[in-house]
Amino acid sequence: MEPSVPRPKLTKRQREQVEDFYRQEADDLYRYARCVLRDRASEAWDLVQTTFQEAILAWRDVGPYGRDERRRWLRRVLKNKTIDLRRKQDVIHLTDDIPHSPSRSDDVGDRVEFWIALAGCLRVIESMPSTRQEVAFLVWGESWTTERVAKHLGVTPSTVRGHLREARRQLRAEVGHLVPFIDDEEEQEPAP
């Protein structure tokens, strides 16, 4: 959960300006939100409220704008909030591309063990330093080469390999009993 940003102390005049601005723009912004969201119009009012919360937080900068400039600012913020909303709702299913044909031996216990192992791996990766997390994601999740990751992060390939080696060591130590690791994995390099 993200830390909450303290609400700025607005003067009485600024509060009145925000209230007037809301009364003038909320309905039009709602219609714009419905157009932008198309398939999720029920979330339009929530998006309008979130956009006006951003306006309150930025009122010291937004307040002096002219009416048209404020309206453009609101629509740009709403559009960005829509993109954020869509990104949050895009779920990556880690097992979708694994071939799987159900059989009688495929029971709930096997699936539970798999999910426990997956949760353990994610927990370990989330506890790693941010650079190591990024290296692990780019190499294992995106199949980037060591050289490409090194260039992207501005480090040497040996630093990338060191992060991978340490990430693999952490995973083996903490969830190795749940996940079969390939022993020669350190020698393998993903295709470019």
Side-chain angles (χ1 to χ4, degrees):
M1 184 175 197
E2 295 178 24
S4 62
V5 177
R7 194 167 127 192
K9 302 266 190 233
L10 298 178
T11 65
K12 182 178 179 181
R13 174 76 179 124
Q14 288 172 324
R15 284 193 307 269
E16 289 170 355
Q17 288 174 334
V18 171
E19 289 171 11
D20 288 343
F21 187 47
Y22 180 83
R23 279 190 220 98
Q24 293 168 5
E25 298 298 328
D27 290 334
D28 285 342
L29 194 62
Y30 171 71
R31 283 189 286 280
Y32 178 69
R34 288 198 52 155
C35 290
V36 172
L37 287 171
R38 278 179 260 133
D39 54 338
R40 295 195 302 264
S42 62
E43 297 171 341
W45 270 119
D46 291 339
L47 199 55
V48 169
Q49 297 303 317
T50 302
T51 302
F52 272 99
Q53 285 175 346
E54 291 297 321
I56 290 168
L57 293 173
W59 193 255
R60 293 188 194 283
D61 297 325
V62 175
Y65 293 168
R67 184 169 190 256
D68 290 340
E69 198 173 359
R70 282 184 193 167
R71 294 183 82 204
R72 282 192 299 273
W73 184 90
L74 267 182
R75 277 149 186 76
R76 186 174 61 246
V77 169
L78 186 131
K79 191 172 182 180
N80 290 340
K81 292 289 179 187
T82 303
I83 292 168
D84 291 346
L85 180 68
R86 287 195 173 127
R87 285 180 180 158
K88 285 180 183 176
Q89 293 177 343
D90 287 343
V91 177
I92 298 172
H93 296 284
L94 299 175
T95 59
D96 281 353
D97 57 352
I98 297 174
H100 182 73
S101 55
S103 66
R104 290 186 153 212
S105 65
D106 184 26
D107 66 352
V108 174
D110 292 338
R111 284 181 273 164
V112 169
E113 285 178 7
F114 173 78
W115 286 110
I116 290 171
L118 180 61
C121 288
L122 291 174
R123 179 183 45 76
V124 172
I125 290 171
E126 287 172 353
S127 73
M128 293 177 184
S130 60
T131 303
R132 188 167 302 143
Q133 284 181 20
E134 189 170 6
V135 167
F137 171 76
L138 292 174
V139 172
W140 296 333
E142 297 296 317
S143 300
W144 282 24
T145 64
T146 300
E147 287 74 21
R148 184 175 176 193
V149 173
K151 186 175 181 180
H152 175 74
L153 296 177
V155 298
T156 64
S158 63
T159 301
V160 172
R161 285 190 294 274
H163 278 296
L164 286 173
R165 189 172 34 258
E166 187 58 27
R168 199 175 293 112
R169 186 198 63 72
Q170 281 181 261
L171 284 166
R172 279 191 177 122
E174 295 190 39
V175 293
H177 63 287
L178 299 173
V179 181
F181 287 96
I182 300 172
D183 288 334
D184 63 338
E185 191 172 340
E186 284 153 51
E187 307 305 321
Q188 295 177 355
E189 185 76 37

